[in-house]
């Protein structure tokens, strides 16, 4: 449920995905500047370069991932997108 909530929230913000993963792993394509900012507070992988200014990231959730952590991540992404 948390992976789906994260996938849906990012999609609604217009963020593209490298692949459509039906599992608890999602692969959003994010600007490198956003990745650097988010990695200060969140654990995820910068998986591969996508182009000169963005990369494919890998987020993994589990049964232990609290929904409020997903909601906070989405709120932080919204703030970074507005900058």
């Amino acid at each position: 449920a948390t992976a789906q909530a994260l996938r849906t929230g990012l999609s609604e913000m217009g963020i593209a995905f490298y692949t459509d993963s039906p599992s608890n792993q999602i692969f959003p394509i994010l600007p490198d500047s956003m990745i650097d900012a988010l990695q200060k507070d969140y654990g995820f992988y910068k998986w591969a370069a996508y182009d000169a200014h963005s990369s494919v990231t890998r987020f993994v959730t589990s049964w232990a991932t609290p929904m409020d952590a997903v909601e906070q991540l989405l709120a932080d992404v919204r703030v970074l997108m507005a900058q």
Side-chain angles (χ1 to χ4, degrees), residues 2-8 11 16-28 47 56-61:
T2 52
Q4 180 61 41
L6 184 56
R7 183 182 302 111
T8 299
S11 292
F17 291 81
Y18 183 69
T19 186
D20 184 25
S21 175
S23 73
N24 66 323
Q25 301 178 61
I26 64 168
F27 299 89
W47 198 53
V56 178
T57 57
R58 177 177 172 254
F59 286 79
V60 181
T61 63

Side-chain angles (χ1 to χ4, degrees), residues 5-6 9-10 13 42 69-79:
L6 184 56
L10 293 173
M13 286 184 257
Y42 300 96
V70 172
E71 292 167 357
Q72 184 61 56
L73 173 59
L74 292 172
D76 290 343
V77 170
R78 278 186 207 93
V79 168

Side-chain angles (χ1 to χ4, degrees), residues 3-69:
Q4 180 61 41
L6 184 56
R7 183 182 302 111
T8 299
L10 293 173
S11 292
E12 289 174 350
M13 286 184 257
I15 293 175
F17 291 81
Y18 183 69
T19 186
D20 184 25
S21 175
S23 73
N24 66 323
Q25 301 178 61
I26 64 168
F27 299 89
I29 301 167
L30 301 174
D32 291 327
S33 59
M34 182 182 291
I35 293 169
D36 293 341
L38 290 173
Q39 283 186 323
K40 293 175 185 173
D41 296 315
Y42 300 96
F44 63 94
Y45 299 98
K46 185 174 179 178
W47 198 53
Y50 184 74
D51 60 26
H53 304 288
S54 59
S55 297
V56 178
T57 57
R58 177 177 172 254
F59 286 79
V60 181
T61 63
S62 77
W63 58 269
T65 303
M67 190 60 76
D68 61 334

